[in-house]
Amino acid sequence: GIVLYPEGVLPFRPVSTAALGIRVSGGDLVELHGIDPATIPDMDNRPQQLIYGLIRMVIKVPQPGDAVFAEIFLPEPASPASSWFKYLESEGWFNYENNAAFSQNRTVVTITLADGGVGDDDNDANGFIVDPSGLGLPPDGNGGGGGGDDDEDGGCFIRTASVHGTALR
């Protein structure tokens, strides 16, 4: 079927077959393409699955150092276990959950990016934000922060159940 997005939303088909929508507030989207995660050899803290691959956006901001909001409209609600992940050449894979807000029905993710700051791959307040990121399931095992209240999500429950299941007898 045809997806009808709100005004100003750009339909986009990354490396997967599903169509997404993208709307940027506070800057201009000047480049957009999908990256197949299989082309990134770095496996440390890599999400188990990147549902729609990575979305690489380049956003031009009015003034160097400005922040923007990018809304990603998903074709179906994101699983409660999923989160928003980034890959930066300088830092590798990491969970971007502190700067990514899901709508109540989990069909829109709003990510915050700042030129030369949070989420900017080139780490330079040069008027352009470079953001490769995407929806994924957290890496298996205990790799990488979070902890605390996040232990109640679906992924952890399944892992815990399988560990206990083998130890029951």
Side-chain angles (χ1 to χ4, degrees), residues 100-163:
F102 285 87
S103 62
Q104 197 160 358
N105 64 4
R106 293 186 68 84
T107 58
V108 181
V109 187
T110 302
I111 59 174
T112 306
L113 303 162
D115 182 28
V118 64
D120 188 2
D121 198 10
D122 67 14
N123 276 325
D124 188 7
N126 57 3
F128 291 91
I129 296 169
V130 179
D131 170 53
S133 62
L135 182 70
L137 293 171
D140 227 352
N142 272 339
D149 300 336
D150 296 341
D151 290 344
E152 293 305 322
D153 75 19
C156 289
F157 174 75
I158 293 165
R159 257 196 318 278
T160 306
S162 63
V163 169

Side-chain angles (χ1 to χ4, degrees), residues 37-50 87 91-94 138-140 143:
T39 63
I40 299 172
D42 187 349
M43 296 304 282
D44 283 351
N45 292 319
R46 182 196 191 99
Q48 284 181 58
Q49 183 188 3
L50 284 145
Y87 177 76
E91 298 176 48
W93 294 100
F94 61 98
D140 227 352

Side-chain angles (χ1 to χ4, degrees), residues 40-80:
I40 299 172
D42 187 349
M43 296 304 282
D44 283 351
N45 292 319
R46 182 196 191 99
Q48 284 181 58
Q49 183 188 3
L50 284 145
I51 291 98
Y52 307 110
L54 279 178
I55 302 160
R56 184 178 188 272
M57 294 181 282
V58 178
I59 300 165
K60 185 179 189 314
V61 293
Q63 297 291 319
D66 282 358
V68 300
F69 296 103
E71 292 170 286
I72 317 296
F73 292 76
L74 306 172
E76 57 192 39
S79 127

